[in-house]
Amino acid sequence: MHVDTLSVRLLQAAANYSYGSSLGSIQPEDSVQVISYDARFSDSMGSNISASIVGQHNWDFVHEAGVYLPSTRSIYAASQTVAADKPINITVLDGSTYSLISSFALPQLHMPNGATAYNDTHILFCVFGHTDAPSTLSLWNPSTNESSVLLSSFYGRRFTSINDVRVKRDDGTIWFTDDWYGYYEGFKSPPTMPAQVYRFDPVSGNVRAVADGFDQPNGLEFSPDYKILYVADSGYVHGPGNFNMTRPNGIYAFDVMESGGLSNRRLHAFGARPFVDGMHVDAQGNVWSTSGEGVTAWDESGVVLGEVRVDTDVNNFLFVPDGILLLAFTKLWHVKCGMRPRKGESW
């Protein structure tokens, strides 16, 4: 499959609206474009870039999560729901070929969404739940199919839709976002708490809200040294058909304090392509997020480096040993390139 590479002339993009706006055009079907705004992006991607669709089906089999588990050598993703009575599946991919192994619903994980590897054998899922079932953080062991709930409320108050989660590896605490998308999509009751970011200590049981003031906090990720937390606000979209370009579509950065709190909130990057969602940090510490029909990378100071664009929306992605996997609903894209996972991610 042909991969089009483009090095952007930044001064021309700044002065010439027609040229600048052309950078956001939708790709032709089954095509990939790599856009470089900075020479560092071209260097990291490498000169031998290729792409292929390693999975394609007539239903949205890859939508969220995207977690590799060493014990099973498999990748686990969440499908997309189409109705409240058609729950989200867990989709299992081969960790070497990225081909589809299976896709199934788990009654104990009703409407799973974001996820992260808790350890080598367990995945920590954000479970949306439904009107009668709370949103939870739940552990699942794919080898035994055993699951357990770690967190189901904020001291008796229900979360709305726990969306995404990360484990702070240096102390084992769990950080997650809670937004209103379950309500917007029609399978959760009206929210009773703000959309916020939380920190949970699975040893003591303490849970605390650590950041508010968001429209819809979504993906989150730590810097490689765990001193910065990045949080995506995807308020641009409030559910199917409800888009507003004046609402947030940015990534915010916070300093992580030794006390477990956050400080020094600042806008790290604003997404030119709506909307920001799943996030990861690469081996160089650059911050990546989904951005409409692809993914965008920024450096540690918020300077945009480049984009990888395809022909359909991408809600999440993951770095693999030979590049990037893009979870694009009915398509699973594999972009072979020089990008690598952050240090400590097991393969």
Side-chain angles (χ1 to χ4, degrees):
M1 182 179 295
H2 175 70
V3 177
D4 178 38
T5 58
L6 172 66
S7 293
V8 176
R9 300 182 294 276
L10 289 178
L11 290 177
Q12 182 177 351
N16 187 318
Y17 173 78
S18 295
Y19 175 68
S21 61
S22 70
L23 303 174
S25 59
I26 296 176
Q27 286 297 108
E29 186 175 1
D30 295 347
S31 65
V32 176
Q33 184 179 44
V34 176
I35 305 174
S36 176
Y37 299 100
D38 191 294
R40 293 172 292 171
F41 189 75
S42 300
D43 291 344
S44 296
M45 291 291 289
S47 59
N48 190 24
I49 305 172
S50 63
S52 60
I53 299 172
V54 292
Q56 184 169 5
H57 300 274
N58 61 0
W59 57 287
D60 298 337
F61 75 113
V62 283
H63 172 240
E64 284 285 6
V67 177
Y68 176 75
L69 205 60
S71 61
T72 62
R73 297 182 180 179
S74 299
I75 297 168
Y76 299 85
S79 72
Q80 169 70 304
T81 183
V82 293
D85 60 345
K86 295 182 179 180
I88 296 170
N89 280 3
I90 291 177
T91 296
V92 186
L93 309 169
D94 185 282
S96 298
T97 64
Y98 315 130
S99 58
L100 177 65
I101 296 176
S102 61
S103 188
F104 49 86
L106 286 175
Q108 68 269 38
L109 300 181
H110 193 84
M111 301 293 192
N113 195 65
T116 192
Y118 192 67
N119 50 36
D120 287 348
T121 58
H122 289 75
I123 299 175
L124 181 59
F125 267 105
C126 303
V127 178
F128 273 3
H130 52 80
T131 301
D132 299 321
S135 185
T136 67
L137 286 175
S138 294
L139 281 178
W140 177 56
N141 184 330
S143 297
T144 64
N145 201 31
E146 295 176 336
S147 64
S148 60
V149 174
L150 291 187
L151 182 67
S152 62
S153 75
F154 182 75
Y155 301 102
R157 295 184 64 182
R158 284 192 174 190
F159 299 107
T160 306
S161 309
I162 298 179
N163 186 299
D164 210 352
V165 61
R166 290 292 182 268
V167 176
K168 189 168 178 282
R169 302 295 176 183
D170 57 354
D171 65 7
T173 55
I174 298 169
W175 300 63
F176 62 96
T177 56
D178 180 42
D179 58 35
W180 295 357
Y181 284 120
Y183 169 66
Y184 291 146
E185 293 177 13
F187 56 86
K188 293 302 296 285
S189 300
T192 60
M193 290 201 297
Q196 302 182 125
V197 179
Y198 293 85
R199 174 188 184 271
F200 174 58
D201 185 338
V203 176
S204 69
N206 176 267
V207 57
R208 56 190 287 197
V210 291
D212 62 2
F214 296 95
D215 190 315
Q216 297 304 312
N218 202 320
L220 75 169
E221 185 59 279
F222 285 102
S223 61
D225 59 6
Y226 296 101
K227 293 183 178 180
I228 299 173
L229 178 68
Y230 301 102
V231 181
D233 189 339
S234 56
Y236 159 84
V237 57
H238 279 189
N242 190 339
F243 308 107
N244 188 326
M245 295 290 282
T246 67
R247 293 196 296 247
N249 185 53
I251 296 170
Y252 295 85
F254 300 83
D255 294 335
V256 182
M257 300 186 295
E258 291 186 6
S259 64
L262 299 175
S263 65
N264 191 25
R265 174 184 176 134
R266 65 269 190 195
L267 179 64
H268 182 76
F270 177 74
R273 322 274 178 247
F275 57 96
V276 294
D277 191 341
M279 295 178 60
H280 289 288
V281 172
D282 66 23
Q284 286 76 44
N286 301 314
V287 181
W288 291 65
S289 173
T290 56
S291 53
E293 298 88 6
V295 289
T296 301
W298 298 266
D299 72 7
E300 293 173 313
S301 63
V303 174
V304 64
L305 299 175
E307 301 180 71
V308 178
R309 296 183 61 76
V310 293
D311 63 352
T312 188
D313 285 343
V314 175
N315 253 56
N316 221 313
F317 68 103
L318 67 154
F319 293 112
V320 292
D322 57 355
I324 310 169
L325 284 185
L326 304 178
L327 311 185
F329 296 89
T330 62
K331 296 179 181 179
L332 178 65
W333 288 88
H334 178 209
V335 181
K336 285 189 175 182
C337 61
M339 287 296 175
R340 296 294 179 264
R342 64 189 291 171
K343 183 179 180 181
E345 290 191 359
S346 300
W347 280 85

